[in-house]
Amino acid sequence: MLTALLGGTFDPIHYGHLRPAISLANEVGLKQIRLLPNHIPPHKPQPEANIEQRLAMLSLAIEDLPLFLLDVSEILSEASTRPSYTVETLQAWRCKNGSQKPLAFIMGQDSLLGLPTWHKWQTLLDYCHLLICRRPGYTEHTNNIELQQWIDMHQTNDIKDLHNSPNGYIYLAQTPLEDISATEIRQNINNVARCKNLLPPKVWRYIHTQGLYGTKKK
Ligand code: ATP
């Protein structure tokens, strides 16, 4: 079975995470997707919600979606007092599960284009495949020649490659475009008409009961 991890800050989780992931699962044949919240995101400002609140929102979001499982390994890892580097999470997964099981790491197109800022990014494919979801505003090609060559060298359109090899391929999926970001939600949370439908109702209610992102605590 191809194990799939979807890493992120999830501050908060929203339909831009869930809908492309569900579509990707159908496209590629994923039985399960493990949502992997990071403790200290290396590439961006620190989360506004604390880790308990981000975990609570993730749990609420996937309560009725058996495709998803919450994976707290990055939160619990020894490295959790410093930035969670994806490559170290993948190495830890390989130590535990061996080198032969197919493993995929899911990310949005924005993350793929930002990979050169990631710790040891060129070694990621030594541990997993990368499954890339489309994201509005981000093109399939990049002007970064090194990154583009790396993508071209490893890209496959054949889903069988993902299931039959443990690691090493990049797959650009045909997932739906969801124009949603956690930043937009945090910044506009009091604009109900704009934000309410961008995330699951249970998560929306939780944000309000906790007074998160500048909402008034109920
Ligand atoms: P922020 O706005 O705070 O930067 P975000 O909305 O990008 O957050 P993250 O938790 O950082 O959410 O994202 C986790 C992963 O999900 C990343 O790989 C990101 O590219 C992907 N992702 C997030 N939103 C979308 C979206 N709307 N469409 C496709 N992929 C997405």
Side-chain angles (χ1 to χ4, degrees):
M1 188 172 102
L2 172 59
T3 301
L5 308 173
L6 170 52
T9 310
F10 304 114
D11 184 26
I13 182 151
H14 52 69
Y15 285 136
H17 300 121
L18 295 169
R19 288 183 184 141
I22 292 168
S23 164
L24 178 71
N26 290 329
E27 185 175 329
V28 169
L30 302 173
K31 304 249 178 320
Q32 192 160 71
I33 294 177
R34 303 175 76 90
L35 296 178
L36 185 73
N38 50 28
H39 199 238
I40 302 177
H43 309 109
K44 48 201 227 177
Q46 295 314 298
E48 285 184 39
N50 66 36
I51 187 58
E52 288 78 20
Q53 290 169 324
R54 287 189 291 136
L55 289 177
M57 291 190 280
L58 282 162
S59 299
L60 289 169
I62 63 175
E63 231 169 36
D64 305 318
L65 298 173
L67 172 66
F68 295 99
L69 198 78
L70 185 51
D71 185 328
V72 293
S73 57
E74 233 172 51
I75 305 283
L76 298 178
S77 82
E78 278 173 29
S80 65
T81 49
R82 58 177 179 78
S84 342
Y85 292 120
T86 299
V87 69
E88 291 177 359
T89 304
L90 298 171
Q91 284 165 344
W93 193 92
R94 282 290 172 207
C95 279
K96 205 167 151 202
N97 296 283
S99 60
Q100 293 310 307
K101 290 189 181 152
L103 175 66
F105 191 86
I106 301 169
M107 61 174 65
Q109 185 69 19
D110 57 311
S111 298
L112 177 67
L113 299 184
L115 269 191
T117 64
W118 288 34
H119 185 52
K120 296 188 179 167
W121 65 278
Q122 280 156 317
T123 67
L124 289 171
L125 292 175
D126 294 343
Y127 306 100
C128 67
H129 306 298
L130 294 180
L131 309 183
I132 312 300
C133 295
R134 297 161 73 216
R135 191 163 186 181
Y138 295 90
T139 54
E140 268 202 6
H141 290 273
T142 165
N143 293 331
N144 181 325
I145 294 168
E146 192 186 11
L147 176 63
Q148 190 60 55
Q149 282 177 346
W150 185 76
I151 295 171
D152 292 342
M153 203 180 343
H154 298 285
Q155 194 182 340
T156 184
N157 296 319
D158 188 348
I159 288 160
K160 287 199 289 301
D161 287 336
L162 306 171
H163 292 273
N164 295 340
S165 331
N167 59 287
Y169 288 102
I170 299 173
Y171 179 80
L172 305 183
Q174 296 302 309
T175 46
L177 289 170
E178 293 287 346
D179 195 4
I180 306 173
S181 79
T183 305
E184 180 199 358
I185 293 173
R186 290 193 303 275
Q187 291 176 351
N188 298 287
I189 196 75
N190 288 312
N191 183 339
V192 177
R194 182 161 166 193
C195 286
K196 193 173 177 186
N197 295 324
L198 303 182
L199 65 187
K202 287 177 192 169
V203 178
W204 173 260
R205 282 196 292 275
Y206 180 85
I207 288 171
H208 287 80
T209 52
Q210 295 285 309
L212 271 171
Y213 313 127
T215 54
K216 284 213 180 69
K217 201 164 182 168
K218 286 186 181 156

